[in-house]
């Protein structure tokens, strides 16, 4: 008997601009997620009644994404009422955590087949709306950080200042992301992972801007500078702009995860297996740096090194994050986000984890690679890391 947790399939919608008028903005998030759930069982001729659980990521769980959007989506997808579903929030790593929980249930022998997924419609449920105008911190947390916590954009600025990244370096990395994503799209590299969205006649990623250059990004103004913040952080150059940040995005994605035994019984061919996981907390002021210790921990747990890795997916929340990760790990930049990252492909928060997993599996297959590492920075100072092995 083998309880190896294997990946049978990974899919995603194309990504849309997360603003009114974006190509997916007319689609309710329940319907958006239901579409990938339907597609992943149909593509694998799987009876959905066999699914033990559906675990979904979503960050803004309010309004149209409230009331357990994952359960609502699986019912909308026509799954039997006997199939349960739950929605989790580990900020930007929500669906990566969903995949981890799914794999861990299989590894523990407590589930045979689990779908990990995620959705975020930032056009319909705006970023920050889940706070509903209330204080999400409370007096005791504020007492611990009396100078005040900051948003992710300011954290990205602090990282850029700490590692000494110039505006040209930040914009250069952003231009690289768009160039690689455009090249991948034009070559058909995304064809096997993209699934259509009902009522949307486009099957391309709307956020990719071919032809983006450092010069074309140079005119953009800083996104997060205020006079008060500039006084508090006098060493910050304020170089984080919309051009070197991930855009607001709509999207959904899913991964079909099961035990090796279940796959064998169903005649399904595993594409990869999970080798190791890690999750860490980090300084919430520099909240995006958790990717560095999370990477070290997951490599140690897997008994592998950077030399063993064939591809990395490091979420591009802002250019300063993968640049700091590169500076600290010494990883091969050629293996980093080789199909572009979130600066080009968008960051549909709850969907991003399984979106990165989708891209990583396909990149390993296309290049005959063996090991891939995925790592995600998260709000509040956390990070998830996962190593997969192509089979």
């Amino acid at each position: 008997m083998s309880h190896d947790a294997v990946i049978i399939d990974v899919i995603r919608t194309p990504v849309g601009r997360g603003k009114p008028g974006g190509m997916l903005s007319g689609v309710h998030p329940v319907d958006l997620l239901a579409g990938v759930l339907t597609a992943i069982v149909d593509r694998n001729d799987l009876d959905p009644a066999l699914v033990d659980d559906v675990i979904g990521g979503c960050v803004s769980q309010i309004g149209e994404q409230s009331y357990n959007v994952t359960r609502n989506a699986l019912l909308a997808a026509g799954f039997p009422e006997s199939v349960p579903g739950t929605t989790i929030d580990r900020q930007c790593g929500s669906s990566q955590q969903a995949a981890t929980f799914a794999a861990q249930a299989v590894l523990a022998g407590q589930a045979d087949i689990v779908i990990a997924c995620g959705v975020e419609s930032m056009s319909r449920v705006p970023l920050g709306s889940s706070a509903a105008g209330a204080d999400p911190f409370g007096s005791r947390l504020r007492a611990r950080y009396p100078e005040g916590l900051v948003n992710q954009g300011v954290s990205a600025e602090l990282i850029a200042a700490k590692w000494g990244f110039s505006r040209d370096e930040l914009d250069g990395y952003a231009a690289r992301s768009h160039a690689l994503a455009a090249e991948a799209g034009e070559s058909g590299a995304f064809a096997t992972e993209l699934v259509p969205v009902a009522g949307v006649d486009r099957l391309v990623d709307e956020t990719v801007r071919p032809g983006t250059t450092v010069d074309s990004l140079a005119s953009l103004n800083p996104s997060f500078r205020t006079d008060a913040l500039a006084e508090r952080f006098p060493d910050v150059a304020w170089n984080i702009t919309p051009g070197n940040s991930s855009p607001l995005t709509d999207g959904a994605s899913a991964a079909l995860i099961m035990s090796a035994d279940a796959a064998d019984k169903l005649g399904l061919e595993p594409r990869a297996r999970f080798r190791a996981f890690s999750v860490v907390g980090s300084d919430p002021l520099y909240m995006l740096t958790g990717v560095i210790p999370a990477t070290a921990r997951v490599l140690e747990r897997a008994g592998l090194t950077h030399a063993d890795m064939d591809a990395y997916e490091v979420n591009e929340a802002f250019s300063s994050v993968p640049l700091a990760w590169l500076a600290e790990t010494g990883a091969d930049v050629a293996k980093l986000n080789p199909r572009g990252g979130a600066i080009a492909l968008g960051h549909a928060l709850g969907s991003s984890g399984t979106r990165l997993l989708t891209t990583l599996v396909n990149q390993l297959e296309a290049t005959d690679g063996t090991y891939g590492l995925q790592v995600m920075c998260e709000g509040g100072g956390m990070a998830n890391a996962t190593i997969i092995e192509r089979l």
Side-chain angles (χ1 to χ4, degrees):
M1 297 285 289
S2 171
H3 286 301
D4 265 0
V6 299
I7 299 169
I8 301 300
D9 203 5
V10 278
I11 60 172
R12 67 178 180 91
T13 67
V15 296
R17 289 184 297 108
K19 299 179 180 180
M23 73 178 191
L24 301 181
S25 63
V27 184
H28 193 289
V30 167
D31 298 329
L32 193 60
L33 183 55
V36 294
L37 294 177
T38 299
I40 206 160
V41 293
D42 286 352
R43 276 175 40 134
N44 295 281
D45 195 24
L46 176 69
D47 179 356
L50 298 176
V51 176
D52 292 306
D53 203 358
V54 181
I55 307 174
C58 184
V59 173
S60 297
Q61 295 181 38
I62 192 170
E64 293 181 341
Q65 293 177 166
S66 64
Y67 279 46
N68 193 357
V69 65
T70 306
R71 170 66 174 174
N72 293 337
L74 73 88
L75 292 174
F79 283 29
E81 295 171 349
S82 58
V83 178
T86 190
T87 307
I88 62 173
D89 172 12
R90 200 187 286 277
Q91 296 292 280
C92 304
S94 295
S95 58
Q96 183 169 351
Q97 186 65 62
T100 298
F101 283 156
Q104 288 171 338
V106 169
L107 290 165
Q110 298 303 302
D112 293 314
I113 302 172
V114 185
I115 297 174
C117 58
V119 67
E120 204 81 36
S121 178
M122 299 177 80
S123 63
R124 300 172 70 102
V125 187
L127 178 64
S129 60
S130 56
D135 173 15
F137 299 123
S139 60
R140 292 181 62 174
L141 182 60
R142 292 188 183 281
R144 181 171 180 177
Y145 301 98
E147 293 185 351
L149 296 174
V150 297
N151 63 43
Q152 289 193 21
V154 178
S155 290
E157 289 279 12
L158 293 172
I159 293 167
K162 181 175 179 177
W163 272 270
F165 301 132
S166 68
R167 173 66 181 268
D168 279 355
E169 288 176 297
L170 296 168
D171 286 350
Y173 185 88
R176 171 190 187 267
S177 184
H178 283 284
L180 290 173
E183 180 183 350
E186 291 165 4
S187 72
F190 295 134
T192 58
E193 65 192 55
L194 286 170
V195 295
V197 176
V200 177
D201 59 5
R202 300 176 63 190
L203 198 59
V204 296
D205 296 309
E206 189 180 29
T207 54
V208 178
R209 299 192 304 274
T212 298
T213 66
V214 173
D215 287 344
S216 69
L217 297 174
S219 63
L220 296 174
N221 293 320
S223 298
F224 302 101
R225 186 196 180 281
T226 66
D227 289 344
L229 286 169
E231 182 177 357
R232 179 179 173 185
F233 302 111
D235 295 331
V236 168
W238 305 104
N239 285 325
I240 301 297
T241 73
N244 53 45
S245 308
S246 56
L248 303 175
T249 312
D250 298 341
S253 53
L256 178 57
I257 298 165
M258 61 180 67
S259 69
D261 287 341
D264 184 59
K265 290 175 183 176
L266 293 170
L268 294 171
E269 188 71 25
R271 298 171 64 182
R273 71 182 178 112
F274 290 94
R275 277 295 302 266
F277 316 95
S278 73
V279 60
V280 304
S282 62
D283 182 347
L285 196 63
Y286 288 81
M287 70 177 77
L288 309 173
T289 58
V291 292
I292 298 164
T295 294
R297 182 174 295 182
V298 79
L299 285 168
E300 181 181 4
R301 286 181 173 172
L304 298 168
T305 69
H306 283 287
D308 298 308
M309 296 298 110
D310 296 297
Y312 300 101
E313 285 290 325
V314 180
N315 193 50
E316 297 173 357
F318 305 89
S319 287
S320 56
V321 177
L323 286 174
W325 180 88
L326 277 171
E328 291 299 310
T329 63
D332 183 353
V333 67
K335 298 178 181 179
L336 173 62
N337 299 349
R339 298 184 175 200
I343 289 173
L345 292 168
H347 186 13
L349 307 176
S351 172
S352 285
T354 36
R355 199 283 292 167
L356 266 65
L357 182 62
T358 297
T359 304
L360 183 58
V361 170
N362 282 288
Q363 172 66 15
L364 291 175
E365 289 178 339
T367 59
D368 200 29
T370 300
Y371 293 111
L373 189 154
Q374 171 189 347
V375 64
M376 176 81 68
C377 57
E378 297 154 0
M382 297 179 290
N384 274 72
T386 306
I387 289 177
I388 62 169
E389 178 183 359
R390 185 181 64 87
L391 298 173

